[in-house]
Amino acid sequence: MQIEKAAEIGFCTGVRRAINMIERATKELGPLQTLGPIVHNQQVVDRLAEHGVTVAESLDQLKRDILCISSHGVGPQIIEEAEARGIKIIDTTCPFVRRSQVAAKRLANSGFSVIVFGDENHREVQGVLGYAGDKGLATIKVPSFKNLSPRVGILSQTTQSFAAFHSFVSSFVQTHLESIAELRVVNTICDATRKHQEAALELARRSDLMLVVGSRGSANTKRLAELCSALVETHHIETAQEIDPKWLSGKVERIGITAGASTPDEVIDEVVSRLREMK
Ligand code: F3S
């Protein structure tokens, strides 16, 4: 049985940057709180907790006048409210998410309706929508034109697949072209997502089984699992303990492993070790 990791796997630049920033800040300033988890991975959150980094769900839950913003970013209302309360901000928003926020604001200020192709309940999307004010809308289905202005801008959640974004934009044009005066599409899918997805698909094509490692709450990990499962038997697991020996029976000779952008190396290595033991 051959076990192979995808060429691009695990922590992306944005997650690495956020964790480094917060670790540095903790050393300088002592215990800190992030607004929501710093990334969507419980092992990372637990490890940071050992260094005094805990999670607050709102500004009211802060124990000190310092707030760490996660890599997913937040809307401008939260920044304004924190500043008004005199709270110091440590902002670890990923630069790719920041680029989406800037695009949403620019489009909304120019009179465009702003559609974000993505999950309306995801923190990143909620933050980006905050920059579009009352002109923003998040969806994964082509919306009706009823509440849109004739000038429309479309962005993507950074972790969507390019194929899904392409299909959404094409359907939007097909459905609404007659009503549109101007359409701007900003490809805000991040580089790390694109590279992770390409490497996972390349590996899935020559594997008999794919394991996708990462939090079930992680959008980019879920996307990897969806993409791989269209090609080969795929299981999304959070830890090595979830591997079911039944998956390895039969004609499974090549096992591919990929992992979401917030999955630590240790968790991936444990999966590889467990597979080797089970072999
Ligand atoms: Fe940033 Fe993309 Fe990672 S948006 S946090 S580089 S998955």
Side-chain angles (χ1 to χ4, degrees), residues 12-15 71 94 96-97 124 158-159 190 192-193 220 261:
C12 62
T13 49
V15 165
S71 55
C94 173
F96 286 105
V97 174
E124 173 202 321
T158 54
T159 48
C190 85
T193 295
N220 71 82

Short mmCIF file of all heavy atoms in Angstrom, two decimals, residues 12-15 71 94 96-97 124 158-159 190 192-193 220 261, ligand 1:
data_model
loop_
_atom_site.label_atom_id
_atom_site.label_comp_id
_atom_site.label_asym_id
_atom_site.label_seq_id
_atom_site.Cartn_x
_atom_site.Cartn_y
_atom_site.Cartn_z
N CYS A 12 -1.83 27.30 5.15
CA CYS A 12 -1.60 28.26 4.07
C CYS A 12 -0.84 29.46 4.65
O CYS A 12 -0.69 29.57 5.88
CB CYS A 12 -2.95 28.73 3.50
SG CYS A 12 -3.94 29.56 4.75
N THR A 13 -0.43 30.36 3.77
CA THR A 13 0.34 31.53 4.25
C THR A 13 -0.50 32.38 5.22
O THR A 13 0.03 32.91 6.19
CB THR A 13 0.78 32.41 3.08
OG1 THR A 13 -0.35 32.63 2.26
CG2 THR A 13 1.88 31.76 2.27
N GLY A 14 -1.81 32.48 4.93
CA GLY A 14 -2.66 33.33 5.77
C GLY A 14 -2.80 32.81 7.18
O GLY A 14 -2.76 33.57 8.16
N VAL A 15 -2.94 31.49 7.31
CA VAL A 15 -3.08 30.88 8.64
C VAL A 15 -1.75 30.95 9.39
O VAL A 15 -1.70 31.31 10.57
CB VAL A 15 -3.57 29.41 8.51
CG1 VAL A 15 -3.39 28.65 9.80
CG2 VAL A 15 -5.03 29.40 8.08
N SER A 71 -8.02 35.40 11.11
CA SER A 71 -7.64 35.45 9.69
C SER A 71 -8.85 35.64 8.77
O SER A 71 -8.71 36.08 7.64
CB SER A 71 -6.91 34.15 9.31
OG SER A 71 -7.72 33.04 9.64
N CYS A 94 -6.34 37.79 6.91
CA CYS A 94 -5.50 37.34 5.80
C CYS A 94 -5.53 38.39 4.68
O CYS A 94 -6.60 38.93 4.35
CB CYS A 94 -6.06 36.01 5.27
SG CYS A 94 -5.23 35.49 3.77
N PHE A 96 -5.58 38.06 1.60
CA PHE A 96 -6.53 37.71 0.53
C PHE A 96 -7.96 38.08 0.92
O PHE A 96 -8.76 38.49 0.09
CB PHE A 96 -6.45 36.21 0.21
CG PHE A 96 -5.21 35.83 -0.55
CD1 PHE A 96 -4.18 35.18 0.09
CD2 PHE A 96 -5.07 36.15 -1.88
CE1 PHE A 96 -3.03 34.83 -0.59
CE2 PHE A 96 -3.92 35.81 -2.59
CZ PHE A 96 -2.89 35.15 -1.94
N VAL A 97 -8.27 37.93 2.20
CA VAL A 97 -9.60 38.32 2.67
C VAL A 97 -9.71 39.85 2.62
O VAL A 97 -10.73 40.41 2.21
CB VAL A 97 -9.84 37.81 4.11
CG1 VAL A 97 -11.15 38.33 4.67
CG2 VAL A 97 -9.81 36.29 4.14
N GLU A 124 -15.89 34.91 7.29
CA GLU A 124 -15.24 35.72 6.25
C GLU A 124 -16.29 36.45 5.41
O GLU A 124 -16.17 37.65 5.15
CB GLU A 124 -14.40 34.81 5.34
CG GLU A 124 -13.84 35.55 4.13
CD GLU A 124 -13.48 34.63 2.97
OE1 GLU A 124 -12.96 33.53 3.21
OE2 GLU A 124 -13.70 35.03 1.82
N THR A 158 -13.15 33.37 -0.49
CA THR A 158 -11.78 33.02 -0.91
C THR A 158 -11.57 31.52 -1.09
O THR A 158 -10.67 31.11 -1.83
CB THR A 158 -10.75 33.51 0.13
OG1 THR A 158 -11.12 32.98 1.41
CG2 THR A 158 -10.66 35.01 0.19
N THR A 159 -12.39 30.70 -0.41
CA THR A 159 -12.13 29.26 -0.39
C THR A 159 -13.05 28.46 -1.33
O THR A 159 -13.07 27.23 -1.26
CB THR A 159 -12.29 28.73 1.04
OG1 THR A 159 -13.51 29.24 1.56
CG2 THR A 159 -11.14 29.16 1.92
N CYS A 190 -8.52 32.66 -3.23
CA CYS A 190 -7.11 32.91 -2.88
C CYS A 190 -6.19 31.89 -3.54
O CYS A 190 -6.60 30.79 -3.89
CB CYS A 190 -6.93 32.94 -1.38
SG CYS A 190 -6.70 31.33 -0.64
N ALA A 192 -3.75 30.18 -2.27
CA ALA A 192 -3.52 28.95 -1.50
C ALA A 192 -4.64 27.95 -1.78
O ALA A 192 -4.38 26.75 -1.97
CB ALA A 192 -3.45 29.26 -0.01
N THR A 193 -5.87 28.44 -1.81
CA THR A 193 -7.01 27.56 -2.09
C THR A 193 -6.85 26.91 -3.46
O THR A 193 -7.02 25.70 -3.62
CB THR A 193 -8.32 28.37 -2.05
OG1 THR A 193 -8.51 28.84 -0.72
CG2 THR A 193 -9.51 27.56 -2.47
N ASN A 220 -12.58 25.52 3.56
CA ASN A 220 -11.68 25.05 2.50
C ASN A 220 -11.47 23.54 2.57
O ASN A 220 -11.28 22.87 1.56
CB ASN A 220 -10.36 25.84 2.51
CG ASN A 220 -9.49 25.52 3.68
OD1 ASN A 220 -8.77 24.53 3.65
ND2 ASN A 220 -9.56 26.32 4.73
N ALA A 261 -6.38 24.22 4.91
CA ALA A 261 -5.37 25.26 5.13
C ALA A 261 -5.15 25.58 6.60
O ALA A 261 -4.22 26.31 6.95
CB ALA A 261 -5.80 26.52 4.39
FE1 F3S B 1 -5.99 33.38 3.45
FE2 F3S B 1 -6.58 31.70 1.60
FE3 F3S B 1 -5.48 30.89 3.81
S1 F3S B 1 -7.83 33.40 2.26
S2 F3S B 1 -6.26 32.28 5.34
S3 F3S B 1 -4.52 32.22 2.28
S4 F3S B 1 -7.07 29.80 2.68
#
